[in-house]
Amino acid sequence: MSTAHGRKRIHLAAHFPGVNATTVWSDPRSGSQIDFSSFEHLARTAERGLFDFFFLAEGLRLREHNGRVHDLDVVGRPESITVLNALAAVTDRLGLAGTVNATFNEPFELARRFATLDHLSAGRAAWNVVTSSDAFTGENFRRGGYLDRADRYARAAEFLATARELWDSWTPDGTPRPFAHSGPQFGIEGEFTVPRSPQGHPVVIQAGDSPEGREFAASAADVVFSRHSTLEAGREFYADVKGRLARHGRKPDDLKIMPGVTYVLGDTDAEAQERAAEIRLLQVSPQNAILALEQIWGRDLSGYDPDGPLPDVDPDPSSSLVQGRVRVADPVAMARKWRALSEAKGLSIRQTVIETSGRQSFVGTPESVAAALEEFTSADAADGFILVPHLTPGGLDDFVDRVVPLLQERGVFRTEYSGTTLRSHLGLPEPVWKG
């Protein structure tokens, strides 16, 4: 979507930090990831900044390391839709997006919960559809290993299609009609209990990067939450996914691509770079460096010095030391790559982990960050961004105060909400009722 000035409009969303390696819990400004006041602060800040939506991740099992809950992971997270329903009462226009797993839920109940959120929020609900083939997570549901990895997207696609059949089982004028669905994954029939909601269908977000994930997004999603933080990678992904839309009868603007990004601001570029380096040191603590290494090596490396050299022993490819985290496909090759980097640059374990893990996406003055954000969107590397701050809950404050006004001055970001629903914020078409 272009603005009146002919420049492409930037879409912005706020990710509540926690289920990641980004959050700096040791910072004295860091607050609770469970208290409602934290969710409310970030959501109100995002709405003050006229963001499209607030985004909640979700983990269905606490991740473990060596049989213990991962010390640096979030220990506890309330259920997403419950939090979003509460936020609907303290926000007016901000979209409310929740990550909910299509593997460990059922279409009728989940369609009902999201339709309810859409009603309570007057049309601001969004569902980030995720899948899992992880038996470790499945044990919480007594379904460990029951779903082959190859079937993840088959189930998710039918799950979403079934949910949409349920949402469409009420006519736009408020008449309920029986539904019946029969497919490989689900066979259900009855009557849906929630009238057609303000958006017709909640906005659907998808985050897969595999070929299957890209095709699923092109066929069924409204927003893609991608992870490409370089201009080149973003343009490749953007062109590939947008290029798949036509064969599904869709237009380029029917799908918004919004990578998850981080940022660091400073009064000068040098100050911002210095702050970014300090944040990376806090994110990759000595303990976290060893844990990151053990994810690749699959061995207990607690006896190694984080400021010393990498282990000379090879990884154990068959290890189950780390549970609930995806290990790299070829740990031996990855270890050799890390060793080569470490030897070439004289890096310690901790320095190597810092060097190889993701950096902040945008670092600089508010002016340079605003310019970089516009460059990404104008070059068709993204339609917007999902900001992942490193602090809970105040990590978005300086961006809203210092960068958003500059984007508005450039004519690439709204100065007020023009609509009331999330679909209107994103410029997405209303779903056609399929009675």
Side-chain angles (χ1 to χ4, degrees):
M1 180 183 294
S2 297
T3 67
H5 301 278
R7 302 164 92 171
K8 187 176 176 182
R9 173 178 290 176
I10 295 175
H11 294 280
L12 294 176
H15 185 288
F16 186 87
V19 187
N20 53 43
T22 302
T23 310
V24 177
W25 298 111
S26 59
D27 192 298
R29 296 169 294 171
S30 182
S32 172
Q33 84 282 358
I34 294 177
D35 290 348
F36 181 67
S37 60
S38 291
F39 296 104
E40 183 178 12
H41 180 105
L42 191 74
R44 285 185 181 274
T45 303
E47 186 162 78
R48 178 166 60 84
L50 304 175
F51 280 36
D52 290 357
F53 61 90
F54 170 96
F55 184 85
L56 265 183
E58 182 172 76
L60 293 179
R61 180 165 177 172
L62 299 177
R63 291 177 285 194
E64 297 175 14
H65 185 85
N66 246 346
R68 301 186 306 275
V69 172
H70 196 297
D71 289 345
L72 298 173
D73 204 6
V74 169
V75 181
R77 166 59 71 82
E79 192 275 325
S80 293
I81 297 182
T82 304
V83 173
L84 297 178
N85 280 321
L87 289 175
V90 297
T91 55
D92 295 315
R93 298 293 183 90
L94 184 70
L96 302 168
T99 300
V100 183
N101 199 299
T103 304
F104 302 114
N105 283 285
E106 296 298 324
F108 182 90
E109 180 58 22
L110 200 54
R112 185 167 170 258
R113 290 162 64 200
F114 272 109
T116 300
L117 173 61
D118 208 43
H119 276 288
L120 291 179
S121 64
R124 296 184 281 136
W127 171 24
N128 180 37
V129 183
V130 296
T131 65
S132 177
S133 61
D134 179 15
F136 171 75
T137 300
E139 288 172 356
N140 273 0
F141 299 85
R142 302 186 67 82
R143 292 180 178 178
Y146 88 105
L147 184 67
D148 288 339
R149 184 173 182 84
D151 294 333
R152 291 187 309 150
Y153 284 111
R155 178 183 169 91
E158 188 177 336
F159 193 117
L160 179 56
T162 306
R164 283 175 166 156
E165 289 174 29
L166 295 170
W167 293 326
D168 279 340
S169 66
W170 283 69
T171 65
D173 64 5
T175 304
R177 306 197 318 179
F179 68 82
H181 176 92
S182 178
Q185 301 287 337
F186 308 105
I188 59 174
E189 58 182 288
E191 289 192 7
F192 195 50
T193 61
V194 185
R196 190 169 177 84
S197 67
Q199 293 188 110
H201 300 170
V203 168
V204 170
I205 304 171
Q206 197 271 338
D209 187 34
S210 65
E212 298 87 353
R214 294 183 184 202
E215 197 65 26
F216 178 46
S219 67
D222 299 306
V223 176
V224 174
F225 178 29
S226 70
R227 61 182 181 183
H228 303 91
S229 57
T230 68
L231 186 66
E232 296 76 15
R235 293 186 70 179
E236 182 280 324
F237 180 84
Y238 190 99
D240 177 65
V241 175
K242 295 272 187 172
R244 298 170 186 256
L245 291 169
R247 62 174 169 263
H248 297 286
R250 307 181 69 196
K251 300 176 182 177
D253 278 347
D254 290 350
L255 178 68
K256 307 301 180 187
I257 295 176
M258 300 178 66
V261 300
T262 56
Y263 73 93
V264 178
L265 301 179
D267 291 334
T268 65
D269 286 333
E271 179 187 315
Q273 292 292 345
E274 185 177 335
R275 285 193 63 201
E278 292 170 355
I279 291 169
R280 292 301 296 139
L281 279 172
L282 293 171
Q283 289 169 329
V284 184
S285 66
Q287 180 192 16
N288 208 4
I290 294 297
L291 292 176
L293 206 65
E294 288 181 342
Q295 269 190 265
I296 295 175
W297 262 257
R299 300 179 183 276
D300 182 353
L301 303 176
S302 57
Y304 281 77
D305 179 1
D307 295 318
L310 269 66
D312 53 11
V313 63
D314 280 337
D316 177 0
S318 62
S319 172
S320 60
L321 177 77
V322 179
Q323 292 184 291
R325 288 174 177 264
V326 178
R327 291 189 69 200
V328 297
D330 189 345
V332 174
M334 181 63 73
R336 288 173 182 162
K337 182 179 178 180
W338 278 30
R339 281 201 198 101
L341 176 68
S342 174
E343 291 169 4
K345 295 191 174 183
L347 303 178
S348 67
I349 290 174
R350 188 181 183 193
Q351 290 169 331
T352 302
V353 173
I354 290 173
E355 184 79 10
T356 55
S357 55
R359 287 178 172 77
Q360 293 85 0
S361 310
F362 297 98
V363 179
T365 64
E367 292 78 10
S368 64
V369 168
L373 293 172
E374 183 180 4
E375 180 187 12
F376 261 67
T377 53
S378 63
D380 286 340
D383 292 310
F385 308 91
I386 298 176
L387 297 180
V388 186
H390 71 277
L391 286 178
T392 305
L396 198 64
D397 295 5
D398 57 347
F399 186 94
V400 168
D401 292 336
R402 304 181 69 188
V403 179
V404 166
L406 298 176
L407 295 175
Q408 292 168 331
E409 288 176 11
R410 287 172 168 266
V412 296
F413 192 67
R414 65 171 64 91
T415 55
E416 61 182 359
Y417 288 114
S418 58
T420 60
T421 69
L422 178 54
R423 286 187 178 276
S424 66
H425 301 342
L426 291 166
L428 293 170
E430 294 292 326
V432 176
W433 179 66
K434 297 178 181 178

